[in-house]
Amino acid sequence: DGGITQSPKYLFRKEGQNVTLSCEQNLNHDAMYWYRQDPGQGLRLIYYSQIVNDFQKGDIAEGYSVSREKKESFPLTVTSAQKNPTAFYLCASSIREFGELFFGEGSRLTVL
Amino acid sequence: DAKTTQPPSMDCAEGRAANLPCNHSTISGNEYVYWYRQIHSQGPQYIIHGLKNNETNEMASLIITEDRKSSTLILPHATLRDTAVYYCIVRVEGYSGAGSYQLTFGKGTKLSVIP
């Protein structure tokens, strides 16, 4: 079935370590997104990519990095520069011309 | 994208219609209204979207005022499984220059369906 797969679902990290969250889609969508969600908050955009080999910063890009080497994949690296990395991370994709976002099930990162 | 305003929470009796309001007074002419919902600790789910006409699908109806400054999502017969946070966002359709895919979600409305 087509969809978006995020992994891992749960991740624990020590302070000072970088961690990479995976996001893969087989929907043939051009656009992909990473959002962060904190308890009781809405979704805040970290990075998005409209096409392969191109991506733009969202509202809270500091301390994060991404790459878009393949259409299907948009990994997010949470670096040690991110001061408060503990959060729920959501990946999404959309067809370029339409706005409906398809979301993955999320990855919950906890920094110990 | 234009900002939206939603009440933080609402209750609805099971089996009754749930009417969730959204204000988007600064919406521009080419921006669509989208609704998503998020059940606890899951990824958000698309519900419906529209430009200026009322829309209906198997999940819900969307009523957009004539001036497009507000809209209402209607769940005709709410069930316990409809308990979720509902997000209203506005965005342009398609590519309209750099940054056009930046989608902003607010805090949404937490809908509690009461047995």
Side-chain angles (χ1 to χ4, degrees), chain A residues 37 42 48 50 59 96 101, chain B residues 36 38 87 99 101-103 106:
Chain A
Q37 187 173 36
Y48 64 105
Q50 298 172 183
D59 299 317
R96 183 170 180 161
L101 293 179
Chain B
Y36 288 81
Q38 185 178 24
Y87 296 99
Y101 288 178
Q102 182 157 346
L103 305 177

Side-chain angles (χ1 to χ4, degrees), chain B residues 64-86:
Chain B
I64 302 173
T65 58
E66 193 168 341
D67 62 9
R68 302 207 329 120
K69 292 185 178 181
S70 65
S71 60
T72 301
L73 178 75
I74 301 172
L75 307 178
H77 305 286
T79 71
L80 298 179
R81 288 177 294 180
D82 292 322
T83 292
V85 176
Y86 287 76

Side-chain angles (χ1 to χ4, degrees), chain A residues 11-17 78 84-87 109-112:
Chain A
L11 184 63
F12 296 88
R13 178 195 106 176
K14 293 182 179 179
E15 279 193 35
Q17 290 180 336
V78 184
N84 297 295
T86 294
L109 172 64
T110 302
V111 174
L112 304 173

Side-chain angles (χ1 to χ4, degrees), chain A residues 9 31 33 35 37 40-43 45 48-50 57-59 88 90 94 96-101 103-106 108, chain B residues 34 36 38 40-46 49 87 89 91-95 97-108:
Chain A
K9 191 171 178 66
Y33 313 77
Y35 287 90
Q37 187 173 36
Q41 303 295 312
L43 282 65
L45 184 64
Y48 64 105
S49 168
Q50 298 172 183
K57 293 182 179 180
D59 299 317
F88 187 50
L90 287 158
S94 69
R96 183 170 180 161
E97 290 79 14
F98 298 97
E100 180 181 347
L101 293 179
F103 282 86
E105 289 302 304
R108 189 168 299 279
Chain B
Y34 279 79
Y36 288 81
Q38 185 178 24
H40 183 63
S41 295
Q42 296 183 18
Q45 175 191 23
Y46 165 83
H49 76 283
Y87 296 99
I89 65 173
R91 62 152 298 171
V92 297
E93 195 84 317
Y95 183 72
S100 63
Y101 288 178
Q102 182 157 346
L103 305 177
T104 302
F105 284 71
K107 294 185 180 180

Side-chain angles (χ1 to χ4, degrees), chain A:
Chain A
D1 286 2
I4 298 181
T5 302
Q6 289 187 240
S7 62
K9 191 171 178 66
Y10 298 96
L11 184 63
F12 296 88
R13 178 195 106 176
K14 293 182 179 179
E15 279 193 35
Q17 290 180 336
N18 291 355
V19 62
T20 297
L21 307 179
S22 169
C23 178
E24 303 279 331
Q25 55 101 355
N26 60 3
L27 300 167
N28 200 32
H29 286 175
D30 288 307
M32 297 188 73
Y33 313 77
W34 274 105
Y35 287 90
R36 168 185 172 136
Q37 187 173 36
D38 295 284
Q41 303 295 312
L43 282 65
R44 292 185 290 168
L45 184 64
I46 305 172
Y47 268 98
Y48 64 105
S49 168
Q50 298 172 183
I51 200 167
V52 174
N53 292 323
D54 185 50
F55 48 83
Q56 287 79 40
K57 293 182 179 180
D59 299 317
I60 54 165
E62 185 175 353
Y64 299 98
S65 67
V66 293
S67 63
R68 187 85 187 277
E69 298 177 359
K70 298 187 300 181
K71 188 175 185 179
E72 304 78 24
S73 178
F74 191 41
L76 173 75
T77 297
V78 184
T79 74
S80 56
Q82 169 50 235
K83 300 303 180 187
N84 297 295
T86 294
F88 187 50
Y89 291 89
L90 287 158
C91 179
S93 71
S94 69
I95 297 173
R96 183 170 180 161
E97 290 79 14
F98 298 97
E100 180 181 347
L101 293 179
F102 291 80
F103 282 86
E105 289 302 304
S107 294
R108 189 168 299 279
L109 172 64
T110 302
V111 174
L112 304 173

